[in-house]
């Protein structure tokens, strides 16, 4: 059905952060031009003499705050450099003035005396241990952990793969932005922070003051705007110190250089042990993740929710080594580390097929999970039919017939952990003759507001025209996390279903005091002495918190099988067709599911072929614009066909499964498989460059 949440956008009334009325001062960051440098002195006198307010890292007193299981950059380390700059673009000072242009001019008057140090631009150099990002650690490995599940067996045939997944990120249409206003109680912040009602509690702990956070429209996120909280910490401290309202809008160049939200950059060494039929008995996976100039990153650990993917593999060992370098710190990006894992697993399956001279489909048939529920020891796969999706894909003779000397067809099968255990709160209120759904997160463009309105309409049996939504701040609606981890289908359904039932029960008692014994049907309480419409109870409201806790961290598993067609033309790899078969559980709105799958698939194709952060051997970013970075246009992407094949989940409300993240890794894997098909060579890294062959 038509989206119910885009009318204001079409009218130009999206209410993004830069649209809010503001009176106050504007902020600009002074950033390090060096990836690694000692800061000997910061001279702010000239800027201050000309009217600037200037904040440096040494001015900030804040508590270290752990982010918990939330993937993405947090407040465990300082955003602003003090004694050392740790990456090019790291803020070393904040300059505040009357308008953004004046602030930029005054920022140039801040003099920083740097002593350049030898940089660490990659994992290989970091592991040599000759130079340290964090001197006090005496190591560039900030964490290493091994997990083992099932039976360790090194019998049979063995192969070893070295793979590389390049650094990328979400690059949302709207960059970071915030308005910070001091109040008598603390601070009011308006920003496009993802999960603002939840994450802002970290800021309160760091600063020791009450913060009211209003959620602006985000203009895209998929994890990247979790990292905004690091910038909010500096802006908030400055606003408190100088007692002035401050506005900051990140530039595109700043986002590319120093957003603290880069997606995973990962090296793999994988050993697989298998028999002559291609049945995998044991996987030994070691990854090295470049987390930039950071001490934390959740991206290597979310794959613990699907270590063996859609396959029945009796044993697995997974070692994750987090390596710090002089790069933009890592954050979260659509999947928070699961897409590269999916891509790597599919490389294993394709390589085994090549080694045995078997069809790629046969290898998958030999290993795929074929009965549900399936408890792997690290995950409880609730439901699905991945073998059915595989057979549907293999039946597409029209796709396989496109194969020729210049055209390859690739295949990939996948699952992804969705719906992490947790909770979500909503509010239903009757106002101006409508049911108003109160949500505690800023709109990201994914259609969550549309889904909320649609569910209220269906569950109450009233037209969508009688339902609307509003975005509530963290004071009005606590315990709201919003999108993240492909969770919103289940949590929106559960929270709204619970709220609807409580609202009906509450209003039924009131209705019966007026019309006698009553029953609810299609928007009306019908009793012995008449009927009353539910929207007539003006001002009534209910809040409801839905919680879900599974055996392991994640509760539902979608499955997907992709076919990719690529053609080599004029020395370039051109994707020309992509077909997706996906199990999203019981879809709330099939059109919305298709929108999400198309978007995620486009990202997967792009990561496989186009986009990547590139650094030189000194740690300087070379991709300083979207054109350099390789973000594709619509003409660079193929037709994407989405086929929905539901298998309802027995563990979630309405049988739904989250599908926001699964399309990325499986699309990248299918495209890689297609390139291998036409080149007859193995691909070991993405993005794929023909010059590498």
């Amino acid at each position: 059905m038509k989206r119910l949440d885009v009318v204001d956008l079409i009218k130009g009334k999206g209410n993004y952060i830069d649209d809010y009325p503001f009176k106050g001062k504007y902020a600009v960051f002074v950033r390090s031009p060096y990836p690694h440098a000692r800061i000997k002195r910061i001279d702010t006198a000239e800027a201050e003499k000309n009217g600037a307010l200037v904040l440096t890292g040494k001015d900030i007193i804040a508590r270290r705050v752990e982010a918990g299981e939330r993937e993405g950059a947090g407040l465990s380390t300082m955003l602003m450099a003090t004694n050392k700059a740790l990456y090019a673009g790291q803020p070393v000072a904040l300059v505040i003035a009357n308008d953004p242009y004046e602030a930029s001019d005054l920022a140039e008057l801040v003099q920083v005396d740097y002593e350049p140090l030898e940089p660490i631009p990659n994992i290989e150099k970091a592991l040599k241990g000759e130079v340290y990002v964090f001197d006090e650690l005496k190591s560039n490995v900030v964490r290493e952990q091994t997990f083992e599940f099932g039976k360790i067996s090194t019998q049979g045939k063995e192969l070893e793969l070295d793979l590389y997944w390049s650094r990328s990120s979400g690059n949302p249409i709207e960059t970071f932005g915030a308005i910070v206003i001091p109040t008598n109680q603390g601070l009011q912040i308006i920003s496009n922070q993802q999960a603002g009602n939840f994450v802002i509690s970290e800021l309160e702990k760091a600063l020791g003051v009450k913060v009211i956070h209003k959620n602006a429209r985000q203009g895209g996120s998929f994890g990247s705007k979790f990292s905004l909280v690091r910038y909010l910490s500096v802006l908030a401290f400055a606003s408190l110190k100088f007692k002035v309202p401050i506005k900051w809008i990140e530039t595109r160049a700043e986002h590319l250089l120093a957003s603290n939200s880069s997606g995973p950059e990962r090296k793999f060494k994988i050993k697989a042990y298998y028999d002559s039929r291609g049945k995998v008995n044991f996987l030994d996976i070691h990854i090295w993740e470049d987390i930039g100039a950071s001490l934390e990153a959740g991206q290597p650990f979310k794959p613990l929710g699907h270590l063996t993917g859609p396959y029945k593999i009796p044993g697995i060992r997974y070692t994750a080594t987090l390596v710090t370098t002089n790069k933009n710190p890592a954050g979260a990006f659509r999947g928070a580390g699961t897409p590269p894992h999916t891509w790597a697993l599919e490389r294993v399956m394709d390589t085994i097929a090549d080694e045995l001279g078997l069809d790629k489909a046969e290898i998958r048939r030999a290993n795929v999970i074929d009965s549900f529920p399936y408890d792997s020891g690290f995950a409880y796969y609730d439901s699905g039919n991945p073998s059915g999706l595989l057979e549907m894909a293999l039946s597409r003779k029209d796709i396989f017939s496109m194969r020729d000397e210049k055209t390859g067809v690739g295949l990939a099968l996948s699952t992804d952990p969705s719906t992490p255990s947790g909770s979500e709160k909503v509010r239903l209120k009757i106002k101006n003759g409508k049911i108003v759904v109160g949500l505690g997160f800023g709109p990201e463009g994914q259609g969550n507001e549309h889904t909320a309105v649609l569910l209220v309409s269906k569950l109450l049996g009233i037209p969508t025209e009688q339902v609307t939504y509003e975005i509530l701040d963290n004071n009005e609606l606590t315990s709201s996390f919003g999108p993240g981890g492909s969770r919103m289908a289940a949590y929106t359904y559960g929270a709204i279903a619970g709220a609807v039932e409580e609202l009906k029960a509450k209003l039924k008692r009131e209705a019966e005091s007026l019309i006698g014994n009553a029953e609810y049907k299609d928007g009306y309480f019908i009793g012995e002495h008449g009927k009353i419409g539910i929207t007539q109870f003006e001002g009534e409201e209910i809040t409801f918190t839905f919680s879900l806790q599974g055996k392991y961290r994640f509760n539902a598993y979608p499955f997907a099988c992709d076919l990719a067609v690529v053609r080599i033309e004029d020395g370039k790899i051109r994707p020309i067709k992509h077909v997706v078969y996906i199990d999203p559980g019981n879809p709330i709105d099939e059109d919305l599911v298709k929108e999400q799958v198309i978007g995620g698939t486009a990202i997967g194709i792009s990561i496989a072929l186009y986009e990547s952060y590139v650094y030189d051997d000194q740690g300087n970013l070379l991709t300083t614009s979207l054109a350099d970075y390789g973000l594709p246009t619509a003409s660079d992407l193929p037709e994407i066909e989405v086929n929905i094949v539901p298998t309802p989940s027995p563990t979630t409300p309405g049988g739904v499964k989250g599908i926001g993240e699964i399309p990325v890794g499986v699309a990248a894997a299918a495209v890689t498989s297609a390139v291998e098909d036409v080149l007859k060579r193995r691909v070991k890294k993405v993005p794929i460059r023909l010059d590498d062959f």
Side-chain angles (χ1 to χ4, degrees), residues 473-689:
D473 65 36
N474 62 315
N475 197 47
E476 297 169 304
L477 193 68
T478 58
S479 305
S480 174
F481 186 88
S486 296
R487 72 190 297 273
M488 286 314 290
Y491 283 98
T492 301
Y493 203 121
I496 287 178
V500 162
E501 288 306 308
E502 287 207 1
L503 183 65
K504 287 195 299 185
K506 178 182 180 182
L507 297 184
K508 181 181 178 183
R509 293 190 293 271
E510 295 188 27
E512 287 184 334
S513 69
L514 300 172
I515 58 175
N517 291 335
E519 295 296 328
Y520 180 83
K521 184 179 180 181
D522 296 337
Y524 291 92
F525 293 98
I526 303 172
E528 300 166 329
H529 308 297
K531 66 178 184 178
I532 302 175
I534 191 170
T535 57
Q536 292 178 239
F537 292 89
E538 184 73 17
E540 292 287 355
E541 67 177 69
I542 198 85
T543 59
F544 185 87
T545 300
F546 170 74
S547 298
L548 183 63
Q549 181 64 52
K551 181 178 180 180
Y552 303 102
R553 183 183 176 193
F554 297 95
N555 293 278
Y557 284 80
F559 289 86
C561 187
D562 282 23
L563 294 174
V565 185
V566 303
R567 183 172 293 149
I568 307 297
E569 291 181 331
D570 302 322
K572 295 181 180 180
I573 305 168
R574 181 176 165 228
I576 58 175
K577 176 74 175 178
H578 203 102
V579 178
V580 180
Y581 288 90
I582 188 163
D583 166 18
N586 184 31
I588 299 171
D589 184 331
E590 288 198 0
D591 288 341
L592 199 62
V593 169
K594 289 182 178 180
E595 286 181 18
Q596 283 296 295
V597 173
I598 289 170
T601 300
I603 290 175
I605 295 168
S606 182
I607 288 174
L609 297 178
Y610 304 121
E611 62 185 278
S612 173
Y613 285 101
V614 179
Y615 292 81
D616 67 15
D617 58 7
Q618 295 299 304
N620 296 298
L621 183 66
L622 302 179
T623 48
T624 55
S625 71
L626 290 181
D628 295 332
Y629 170 75
L631 200 68
T633 65
S635 63
D636 297 313
L637 297 169
E639 175 192 356
I640 299 172
E641 173 192 323
V642 180
N643 302 279
I644 295 175
V645 188
T647 306
S649 172
T651 64
T652 63
V656 301
K657 298 178 182 180
I659 50 83
E661 295 167 326
I662 186 174
V664 179
V666 68
V671 169
T672 303
S673 178
V675 173
E676 289 183 336
D677 185 49
V678 67
L679 292 180
K680 309 305 179 190
R681 297 183 183 180
R682 291 180 187 169
V683 173
K684 295 186 177 181
K685 65 180 182 179
V686 291
I688 305 165
R689 303 290 187 231

Side-chain angles (χ1 to χ4, degrees), residues 362-568:
E362 287 305 312
I363 298 301
R364 288 166 173 83
R365 286 188 180 115
N367 290 283
V368 71
I369 300 170
D370 54 8
S371 62
F372 291 86
Y374 175 73
D375 193 330
S376 66
F378 52 83
Y380 183 83
Y381 293 81
D382 55 305
S383 64
N385 184 17
S387 59
L389 299 178
L390 176 62
E391 297 308 319
M392 288 179 187
L394 294 173
S395 72
R396 291 295 297 268
K397 294 180 181 178
D398 59 319
I399 299 299
F400 288 98
S401 67
M402 299 173 73
R403 189 184 265 142
D404 58 33
E405 70 278 359
K406 292 185 177 181
T407 308
V409 179
L411 171 73
L413 189 63
S414 177
T415 187
D416 199 83
S418 83
T419 316
S421 296
S423 65
E424 186 68 29
K425 179 185 282 189
V426 299
R427 184 179 79 185
L428 295 184
K429 185 174 184 177
I430 301 172
K431 184 178 179 181
N432 299 327
K434 289 189 175 185
I435 307 292
V436 182
V437 191
L439 304 171
F441 51 88
E444 290 186 25
Q446 300 163 330
N448 291 304
E449 304 77 42
H450 164 87
T451 301
V453 170
L454 183 62
L455 282 169
V456 171
S457 169
K458 287 182 176 179
L459 294 172
L460 283 176
I462 62 177
T464 55
E465 292 76 16
Q466 293 183 15
V467 187
T468 188
Y469 70 90
E470 62 182 344
I471 305 302
L472 305 177
D473 65 36
N474 62 315
N475 197 47
E476 297 169 304
L477 193 68
T478 58
S479 305
S480 174
F481 186 88
S486 296
R487 72 190 297 273
M488 286 314 290
Y491 283 98
T492 301
Y493 203 121
I496 287 178
V500 162
E501 288 306 308
E502 287 207 1
L503 183 65
K504 287 195 299 185
K506 178 182 180 182
L507 297 184
K508 181 181 178 183
R509 293 190 293 271
E510 295 188 27
E512 287 184 334
S513 69
L514 300 172
I515 58 175
N517 291 335
E519 295 296 328
Y520 180 83
K521 184 179 180 181
D522 296 337
Y524 291 92
F525 293 98
I526 303 172
E528 300 166 329
H529 308 297
K531 66 178 184 178
I532 302 175
I534 191 170
T535 57
Q536 292 178 239
F537 292 89
E538 184 73 17
E540 292 287 355
E541 67 177 69
I542 198 85
T543 59
F544 185 87
T545 300
F546 170 74
S547 298
L548 183 63
Q549 181 64 52
K551 181 178 180 180
Y552 303 102
R553 183 183 176 193
F554 297 95
N555 293 278
Y557 284 80
F559 289 86
C561 187
D562 282 23
L563 294 174
V565 185
V566 303
R567 183 172 293 149
I568 307 297

Side-chain angles (χ1 to χ4, degrees), residues 224-243:
S224 64
K225 284 175 180 160
F226 275 131
S227 300
L228 173 56
V229 70
R230 292 177 54 72
Y231 280 97
L232 292 183
S233 67
V234 176
L235 297 166
F237 193 90
S239 183
L240 289 171
K241 176 180 174 64
F242 297 119
K243 297 181 175 56

Side-chain angles (χ1 to χ4, degrees), residues 204-409:
E204 290 181 321
K205 292 175 184 176
L207 298 177
V209 300
K210 176 65 178 174
V211 179
I212 301 299
H213 181 265
K214 293 188 177 295
N215 299 287
R217 186 175 291 278
Q218 291 176 19
S221 178
F222 285 108
S224 64
K225 284 175 180 160
F226 275 131
S227 300
L228 173 56
V229 70
R230 292 177 54 72
Y231 280 97
L232 292 183
S233 67
V234 176
L235 297 166
F237 193 90
S239 183
L240 289 171
K241 176 180 174 64
F242 297 119
K243 297 181 175 56
V244 294
I246 298 172
K247 181 176 181 178
W248 173 69
I249 302 294
E250 181 188 46
T251 67
R252 178 61 60 186
E254 285 179 306
H255 189 85
L256 287 161
L257 186 65
S259 66
N260 287 222
S261 68
S262 291
E265 179 179 358
R266 188 174 299 172
K267 288 183 62 179
F268 296 83
K269 183 175 286 295
I270 303 175
K271 292 182 180 179
Y273 301 88
Y274 58 100
D275 63 24
S276 59
R277 298 176 298 113
K279 181 73 178 73
V280 180
N281 298 313
F282 180 64
L283 286 176
D284 191 347
I285 301 175
H286 192 153
I287 71 163
W288 291 264
E289 184 115 335
D290 184 337
I291 62 170
S294 174
L295 294 173
E296 62 180 6
Q299 294 171 102
F301 299 108
K302 192 179 176 187
L304 291 169
H306 76 147
L307 283 176
T308 57
Y311 304 113
K312 294 187 302 182
I313 298 175
I316 187 165
R317 178 189 294 126
Y318 181 77
T319 301
T321 303
L322 275 62
V323 183
T324 186
T325 63
N326 292 120
K327 291 179 184 172
N328 180 20
F333 173 37
R334 201 164 186 168
T338 59
H341 191 79
T342 289
W343 175 80
L345 287 175
E346 292 303 279
R347 303 279 47 74
V348 170
M349 292 298 164
D350 283 357
T351 304
I352 292 174
D354 290 342
E355 291 291 315
L356 294 175
L358 296 175
D359 187 88
K360 294 176 180 180
E362 287 305 312
I363 298 301
R364 288 166 173 83
R365 286 188 180 115
N367 290 283
V368 71
I369 300 170
D370 54 8
S371 62
F372 291 86
Y374 175 73
D375 193 330
S376 66
F378 52 83
Y380 183 83
Y381 293 81
D382 55 305
S383 64
N385 184 17
S387 59
L389 299 178
L390 176 62
E391 297 308 319
M392 288 179 187
L394 294 173
S395 72
R396 291 295 297 268
K397 294 180 181 178
D398 59 319
I399 299 299
F400 288 98
S401 67
M402 299 173 73
R403 189 184 265 142
D404 58 33
E405 70 278 359
K406 292 185 177 181
T407 308
V409 179

Side-chain angles (χ1 to χ4, degrees), residues 73-117:
L75 298 178
S76 62
T77 57
M78 284 278 291
L79 172 74
M80 293 182 74
T82 51
N83 299 318
K84 270 207 318 181
L86 303 180
Y87 57 97
Q90 183 176 17
V92 297
L94 181 73
V95 175
I96 302 160
N98 295 318
D99 63 58
Y101 307 103
E102 182 186 31
S104 294
D105 290 342
L106 293 174
E108 293 182 3
L109 300 180
V110 175
Q111 299 298 310
V112 184
D113 186 4
Y114 295 100
E115 177 190 340
L117 300 172

